Amino acid sequence: MIVRLPPLAPGLRVGLYGGSFNPAHAGHRHVSRLALRRLALDRVWWLVSPGNPLKDRSHLPEAVRRAEGARAVAADPRIAVTDFEAALGVRYTRETLTWLTDRHPDVRFVWIMGADSLATFHRWRGWREIAARMPFAVIDRPGYTLRAMASPAARALARDRIDEAAAATLADRAPPAWVFLHGPRSSLSSTALRAVQAAPAGVQS
């Protein structure tokens, strides 16, 4: 099995932003640039997943096709798009993070998720293991601020949350450690974009 990763080097600060990217859009780029700036990262990787185990994947295009579209949207040399999870054959985020950190212990990885993901984080397979494996940053999203912070995972990990003013230190911290980042928010979503694309000609949503 050959698994090709974007370039890595010891000490590099890399944000991992996973998702279906079906399709990728400017909101993904906005989140990535916000993370690069606020977390003092060197790179952000878009991990184009084989599919979210919590969602219907019956009509999901192949990862390689979604990755091609994501590369066209990323349009930033600091953002790398990879679909290595499909080649690796993993289904769950904890498997991906374990594989990466075991093989690249000198890279400072940070997991990046939206506030909508934090709201359901307690439903992820091995979510406590993920929090103990790698620092993570939560990016605020419209309509999810309060729901995310009231979620079971946010409450369980409340003592590990760092102040937003210290966000640039997150990659240097031993997990569990996380930060909630506020700022300009994007209302774009892949679900809404798919609905528009599927609408008959002349029909506006």
Side-chain angles (χ1 to χ4, degrees):
M1 176 184 63
I2 299 176
V3 178
R4 293 184 174 87
L5 298 177
L8 277 176
L12 205 65
R13 302 159 69 92
V14 179
L16 304 175
Y17 187 22
S20 298
F21 294 95
N22 182 36
H25 51 71
H28 294 128
R29 188 172 61 244
H30 167 77
V31 165
S32 301
R33 288 176 172 170
L34 177 67
L36 282 160
R37 183 176 71 256
R38 298 286 301 280
L39 302 176
L41 301 176
D42 299 303
R43 299 285 188 275
V44 167
W45 292 5
W46 289 4
L47 306 185
V48 180
S49 73
N52 187 334
L54 298 178
K55 297 181 180 180
D56 178 18
R57 293 178 287 172
S58 58
H59 301 293
L60 188 66
E62 292 183 359
V64 65
R65 287 178 52 198
R66 288 179 280 124
E68 289 173 358
R71 290 186 184 98
V73 171
D76 190 313
R78 300 168 299 172
I79 300 174
V81 179
T82 174
D83 59 348
F84 81 90
E85 287 180 300
L88 197 59
V90 298
R91 291 189 61 201
Y92 300 104
T93 297
R94 69 170 183 176
E95 297 173 312
T96 299
L97 304 193
T98 298
W99 189 90
L100 282 171
T101 54
D102 284 351
R103 284 159 181 78
H104 302 281
D106 295 328
V107 175
R108 299 171 186 173
F109 289 112
V110 173
W111 180 253
I112 300 169
M113 70 170 83
D116 53 326
S117 292
L118 179 60
T120 60
F121 191 32
H122 61 285
R123 295 176 55 200
W124 292 26
R125 179 72 63 90
W127 67 272
R128 291 182 182 274
E129 181 182 339
I130 294 171
R133 169 74 56 174
M134 185 178 296
F136 69 93
V138 179
I139 312 297
D140 198 10
R141 287 198 64 187
Y144 285 96
T145 308
L146 298 179
R147 197 183 322 176
M149 294 308 298
S151 67
R155 294 199 305 269
L157 300 170
R159 290 187 300 178
D160 304 310
R161 181 186 174 193
I162 69 171
D163 190 276
E164 191 170 357
T169 71
L170 184 66
D172 300 317
R173 293 176 180 260
W178 65 287
V179 66
F180 193 102
L181 295 180
H182 299 84
R185 299 176 297 179
S186 172
S187 60
L188 290 173
S189 77
S190 296
T191 301
L193 289 175
R194 289 197 302 274
V196 170
Q197 292 169 356
V203 176
Q204 296 182 347
S205 57

